Amino acid sequence: MSSPDRRTSRGTARRRLDVTTTLAIALPLVVALLLAVVRPDPPGLKRTAPTTSELTAGSVVCPSALDGKSGNESTLSVASASGASGTLTLTSEAGASTAAVTPGRVADVPGQDAPVVVSGQGSLAPGLVAGLFSSQPLTALDCAPVAASQWFTGVGAGPTHASVLELSNPNSGPAVADVDVLSDEGPIDVPALRGVAVEGNAHVRIDLGTVVPRTGDLALHVSVERGQLGVAVRDRGEKLTGGTTTEDWLPAQPRPGRRNLLLGLQPGASGQHTLTIANDSDNQATAHLRLVTNGSVFAPAGAKPIKIAPHSVARTYLDDLLTGDNAKDAIGVEVASDQRVTASVRSVVDGDLSVLTVGRRVFNPTTVLVPGGTKTLMLAGADAVGVATVVARSADGKALLTKRVALSPDQGASLDLPDRTVAVEVEPQRTAVRGAVLVKDGGSAVVRLRELVRAGAVPAVAPGTR
């Protein structure tokens, strides 16, 4: 029989254990409830647009010069629209050189059989411009900054229409790109165009007729997955018996859109004109054509809607449409679609090839370099009534022409430029505009206007974002 003291001790210990257990369970619950009450809500994550900063270094990438015919001369023209004087650096696989520029002045150097990176430092960085031109055949290309995503519509990989894709790496580290291919039968899986690696300060050329041989027009979407790349496509028309008959650049389109304006038609020129439209959406697209003239934008009689299947390419010939009386003054074609598409017009006139693609909208003063020959500036796509001040300059910077051009929605405008013009300055006011310069000299070439890079973008970084 246990003593009363022992029973009391056991009872006290049991009560002490019950209290400890209760506190061990209850206290965490109470603390958790208190934290839930007093803890503030996490700050909402808000997307913030990047800010801009003064540009201290800039560059554009020019591709390899076209081979051309015997006697062909390629020229690389460089300038800076910043209003400063100094020296630009031209870097290629063969080494580096320099070119001196002053306000309004254009410097010329011979083209190279390798890509050239044109770079400027300090006050020469904003507004850097360069152009690659050849004489036989007449070709012209505005050298552009690197871009992460670009479209090339209307390329060829067959025996009579062949294209060559060139990827150039302006940096010392490696770069990688993926190339998606669309055809009239849908997407094409091309292993040779997946994960294309380009070593630092080197370039890669890919003959599409070798990696994806087929007739019919194609569209390429080039996505840079690592590093930076300059991308260019040289488009060729071949004889079945061998030998290039005609050649020109196929400029890139930055992104698909519902309104695609292609400027640079030769009014009244007879020849073969092929419109290619690419639809990378999941839905069928229906496109309607309108012609752009100096006085209006209208749907020509006989123009039928164009159906483009999802993730496919459609091609149509514009020969009859562009030779009618209503089209004799046409300077461009507008493709309006219910889905976002890309487009190009490939024209062969008198044995010479020229390619029209969609240019960027221009909001601010811009400058474009052009080769020798007869020139016409074509403007359209204004979203409000406004004007554009145009200055045409010679190689030494002299102003050959200064004129204000009226701009209005749903109509185009054209201005003949002096033959000696090598630089065209366009300043839109009260509206944005798209534009191109048509050059003719034993052939034809088209150079599009674009916004110049004048400032750098600084991304907004905050805790909890990535």
Side-chain angles (χ1 to χ4, degrees), residues 242-389:
T244 301
T245 59
T246 184
E247 191 172 27
D248 207 338
W249 299 104
L250 196 164
Q253 181 172 341
R255 65 184 64 87
R258 287 189 170 90
R259 290 185 63 187
N260 290 271
L261 181 59
L262 304 105
L263 293 174
L265 286 178
Q266 302 179 54
S270 60
Q272 185 181 66
H273 308 276
T274 306
L275 170 67
T276 305
I277 305 175
N279 172 26
D280 194 38
S281 72
D282 296 328
N283 303 311
Q284 175 177 279
T286 301
H288 299 270
L289 303 185
R290 300 201 300 172
L291 293 180
V292 181
T293 69
N294 289 335
S296 64
V297 178
F298 64 94
K304 298 179 180 179
I306 302 171
K307 307 288 186 180
I308 312 100
H311 305 289
S312 298
V313 169
R315 178 179 63 180
T316 185
Y317 294 102
L318 303 180
D319 302 355
D320 295 338
L321 191 67
L322 297 180
T323 54
D325 291 339
N326 290 335
K328 64 181 180 180
D329 297 325
I331 62 173
V333 176
E334 184 182 74
V335 179
S337 173
D338 57 356
Q339 303 293 329
R340 296 186 182 277
V341 300
T342 61
S344 73
V345 173
R346 186 176 190 267
S347 298
V348 180
V349 178
D350 296 330
D352 179 76
L353 170 67
S354 62
V355 185
L356 311 184
T357 56
V358 180
R360 295 177 180 269
R361 299 175 71 195
V362 175
F363 297 84
N364 302 297
T366 189
T367 299
V368 66
L369 306 185
V370 292
T374 303
K375 305 171 187 68
T376 303
L377 171 66
M378 301 175 176
L379 302 172
D383 47 21
V385 175
V387 297
T389 302

Side-chain angles (χ1 to χ4, degrees), residues 132-205:
L132 183 62
F133 315 126
S134 66
S135 57
Q136 296 183 18
L138 176 65
T139 67
L141 179 70
D142 171 54
C143 302
V146 296
S149 174
Q150 299 178 80
W151 282 87
F152 298 87
T153 306
V155 304
T160 59
H161 177 199
S163 302
V164 175
L165 174 67
E166 183 177 270
L167 307 174
S168 54
N169 186 350
N171 303 315
S172 57
V176 178
D178 282 337
V179 183
D180 297 317
V181 183
L182 300 182
S183 72
D184 55 1
E185 298 177 351
I188 304 175
D189 184 21
V190 186
L193 296 178
R194 309 297 298 181
V196 181
V198 185
E199 296 299 325
N201 301 316
H203 73 284
V204 171
R205 292 178 189 164

